[in-house]
Amino acid sequence: MKFDPEFKNAILQLPSKEKDKLLLRLLKRDVILANQLHFELISGDSVQDRRARMEAHIKQKIEWATNRFSSLDSLLVDIRSLSADITENVKITKDKYGDASLNLLMLNELLKNNNARIAQSNLKKTSAISIYIIARIFKILISIKALHEDYLIEFEAGLNELAQAIEKNPILLNMAINTGVDINWLADAEIPDNIAEIHKEIRSKGLLKRNVKMF
């Protein structure tokens, strides 16, 4: 939301006590903003500290979700919840590197523990989680491409691991092919300069929607 200069100036002219009251009221309504300020002002944690804890959280939650597995739909619910945890952490810490690395770790841990389950299920049951994985791959590639090019080497091993997992899963591999994901982008860590435009075009065709017919 944009505020006109007159309104902003009026806010700045409020007495300090009144501004403090307004700030506290705002923080009660905006949990992310409150956590951002807590992180920046008093937590004592670094971005790297928070990222390391989130890495541990991802591994623990994937293991928990794997152990309690009842269906691919329930697994997807757990993964979406974990994805929300990652998004919240990124918003709080403004960790752009973590946005890519944590999502990549999540997919690799997911497939390390559940690839066979996805591969052995029928297409109807795997559709939702497969499309979710492909959409998340695009997010990861776009996030990596937005970083300085020197960081790419740090993602090579993780991207290659993901490529190998997909190549072992015919359902995911076909889904990747039919949604325009070139596995070589992962295997060779060669992300197209126009990856964001590729993603936008694929979304416009409706290829990343649940229950879309891909085969």
Side-chain angles (χ1 to χ4, degrees):
M1 178 184 295
K2 292 184 178 180
F3 301 110
D4 63 70
E6 183 179 359
F7 176 66
K8 289 191 290 185
N9 185 61
I11 293 293
L12 293 174
Q13 296 303 316
L14 287 172
S16 295
K17 288 185 178 181
E18 189 65 24
K19 283 191 285 189
D20 292 344
K21 289 180 181 179
L22 289 174
L23 175 59
L24 292 175
R25 287 174 60 186
L26 175 62
L27 292 178
K28 287 181 180 180
R29 294 174 178 269
D30 192 331
V31 176
I32 294 296
L33 178 58
N35 285 330
Q36 282 177 342
L37 291 176
H38 185 277
F39 170 70
E40 294 172 1
L41 299 175
I42 64 173
S43 72
D45 290 339
S46 67
V47 171
Q48 291 74 19
D49 292 334
R50 289 288 298 253
R51 189 190 304 152
R53 284 205 296 274
M54 185 56 64
E55 288 170 355
H57 173 64
I58 290 168
K59 293 178 181 179
Q60 291 169 358
K61 193 158 186 177
I62 293 288
E63 182 180 6
W64 174 81
T66 300
N67 290 337
R68 73 184 288 269
F69 177 87
S70 60
S71 68
L72 290 180
D73 282 342
S74 68
L75 179 62
L76 180 56
V77 169
D78 292 334
I79 297 306
R80 287 186 183 280
S81 174
L82 179 55
S83 176
D85 294 341
I86 294 172
T87 298
E88 180 177 331
N89 183 72
V90 170
K91 287 181 178 179
I92 291 170
T93 60
K94 302 176 184 177
D95 183 10
K96 294 181 180 179
Y97 182 96
D99 194 19
S101 68
L102 294 173
N103 277 288
L104 181 56
L105 175 64
M106 180 181 70
L107 288 193
N108 280 330
E109 289 293 311
L110 170 65
L111 294 179
K112 183 169 68 175
N113 289 278
N114 297 279
N115 208 15
R117 284 171 170 161
I118 297 171
Q120 293 167 7
S121 297
N122 63 51
L123 178 59
K124 184 177 181 181
K125 291 182 178 180
T126 61
S127 177
I129 196 166
S130 296
I131 290 174
Y132 175 83
I133 290 170
I134 297 302
R136 195 69 10 183
I137 288 173
F138 271 112
K139 175 178 174 55
I140 292 166
L141 295 177
I142 292 170
S143 296
I144 293 174
K145 199 64 181 177
L147 298 171
H148 191 280
E149 61 183 10
D150 289 349
Y151 283 116
L152 180 58
I153 192 172
E154 299 181 21
F155 291 94
E156 288 182 357
L159 290 172
N160 185 261
E161 180 182 346
L162 183 57
Q164 290 184 43
I166 293 173
E167 287 171 344
K168 293 176 182 177
N169 188 323
I171 290 177
L172 281 179
L173 183 58
N174 283 327
M175 184 70 77
I177 292 170
N178 283 281
T179 50
V181 174
D182 188 338
I183 295 301
N184 290 321
W185 297 344
L186 307 175
D188 301 329
E190 294 182 354
I191 305 172
D193 290 336
N194 65 331
I195 186 65
E197 287 74 17
I198 293 173
H199 176 241
K200 183 177 180 180
E201 180 179 357
I202 289 171
R203 286 192 63 189
S204 70
K205 294 178 180 178
L207 296 180
L208 296 178
K209 293 182 179 180
R210 184 171 181 170
N211 297 326
V212 65
K213 292 183 179 180
M214 304 300 301
F215 305 94

